[in-house]
Structures are given as C-alpha cells and as structure tokens.
Amino acid sequence: MGLEHQLGDNILTTSLEWAVNWARSNSVWPMTFGLACCAIEMMPIVSPRYDLARFGSEVYRASPRQADLLIVAGRVSRKMAPFVKQVYEQMMSPKWVISMGACASCGGVFRNYAILQGVDKIIPVDVYVPGCPPNPYALMQGIFEIQKKIKGEKFTDHPYE
Ligand code: SF4
C-alpha cells in the first residue's frame, strides 16, 4: 500500500521556499519614513478605516534594521537623497521598495535641479504606485503587488542572506 494512500488527506507537503515566502509576504514591515505630502496618504493605511493589519503590514518600524519595506512617500530632494540611500542600505536583506506617487517615481511636477527625477536613480524600486497623491487604497494595492512578488521569489534571488 502506498504512503499517499495510508496518509489520506491528513498531511500537507510543501517546499521550504514556499513556506518562507508565504510567511514573509504576510509580515512585510514598513519603515517609518515619509518625505512629503504623499506621506500624509501613507499614514492612514494603518488606521481602522483601511486596516492594513489584515495583511500583516501594520507594524511600522522606527529602525531600518527591523524593517523590510521602504515606502518612498514623496519627492526626494537632492539634499535628502544620501539619507534615503543610507536608510535603504541599513535595512536587512531581503528588502523591498515602493515608490509612492509621481514625485518619488519621476520628479512629478518638480522638474528642477533640486529634486531627484526618480528615486530609482539611487536605490532599486520594486513597485511604483502612480498618483499625486495616490490614495491609501492605491498604496495598499502596491503592498499587494509586493506580496505577489515575494511569493514568486527563489532563495537564490537573495544571495547575501
Ligand atoms: S506626488 Fe503629489 S502628493 Fe506626492 S509628494 Fe508629489 S506633489 Fe506631493
């Protein structure tokens, strides 16, 4: 008699990679970090109205070492750019980045020398959320896209872990 027949429906087998990705994707902790007006739209996603806790991402961390999601919420001035990069580099791998709003993604209305024309010039971006500002639901959709991305990752995607 085969093992499968003996166990019936009483056991679930999976891969370690799937289980780790499932756990990671349901506990993405964002960094407490806001740069401009988009940050005002980012803050309410943890409020009861939007309730990001349903998806495991309500725990905003004050230290980059405890966060694995950087939401770049607002325009990045050239003066601020080195600090954004430093925060990203202090986060532990694996880590993900959302560029929230037109300004963070491409400079938005600020087409001038003082504003970085896209945060992807200094750090890698996983998901771009369009809008000026994107509303909290749009940001939540961005977090869902990050979750989808994590679920499809391989251990070899993060060679420095
Ligand atoms: S995209 Fe709009 S709301 Fe967001 S930082 Fe730029 S100007 Fe402000």
Side-chain angles (χ1 to χ4, degrees):
M1 193 180 286
L3 183 63
E4 268 177 32
H5 187 261
Q6 284 182 38
L7 294 172
D9 296 330
N10 297 324
I11 194 163
L12 171 71
T13 56
T14 185
S15 69
L16 180 61
E17 199 165 58
W18 184 92
V20 168
N21 285 350
W22 175 82
R24 272 183 185 157
S25 64
N26 289 293
S27 59
V28 180
W29 290 359
M31 174 73 203
T32 307
F33 191 73
L35 289 167
C37 15
C38 273
I40 304 299
E41 292 294 308
M42 175 184 67
M43 291 173 206
I45 58 170
V46 292
S47 68
R49 177 167 179 174
Y50 300 100
D51 196 13
L52 196 61
R54 290 174 293 161
F55 310 103
S57 294
E58 78 284 13
V59 192
Y60 271 81
R61 297 282 86 188
S63 164
R65 292 175 183 85
Q66 297 167 355
D68 48 14
L69 174 65
L70 179 61
I71 302 172
V72 183
R75 58 187 179 263
V76 185
S77 66
R78 289 198 184 273
K79 204 171 180 182
M80 196 64 185
F83 304 106
V84 175
K85 192 164 194 246
Q86 185 177 18
V87 166
Y88 175 77
E89 285 172 351
Q90 286 179 337
M91 289 165 65
M92 305 289 263
S93 184
K95 53 193 168 186
W96 300 274
V97 176
I98 290 179
S99 173
M100 181 183 180
C103 291
S105 301
C106 66
V109 292
F110 300 98
R111 187 134 186 92
N112 62 49
Y113 67 90
I115 302 297
L116 210 61
Q117 300 299 296
V119 71
D120 53 7
K121 302 232 180 323
I122 53 166
I123 56 173
V125 171
D126 297 283
V127 170
Y128 297 86
V129 177
C132 175
N135 81 10
Y137 285 123
L139 179 58
M140 285 173 81
Q141 183 62 40
I143 292 173
F144 298 155
E145 293 301 322
I146 290 281
Q147 289 182 327
K148 264 194 239 167
K149 188 171 182 189
I150 294 171
K151 283 179 183 151
E153 285 185 346
K154 305 258 171 255
F155 282 157
T156 48
D157 293 343
H158 304 288
Y160 301 112
E161 276 179 56

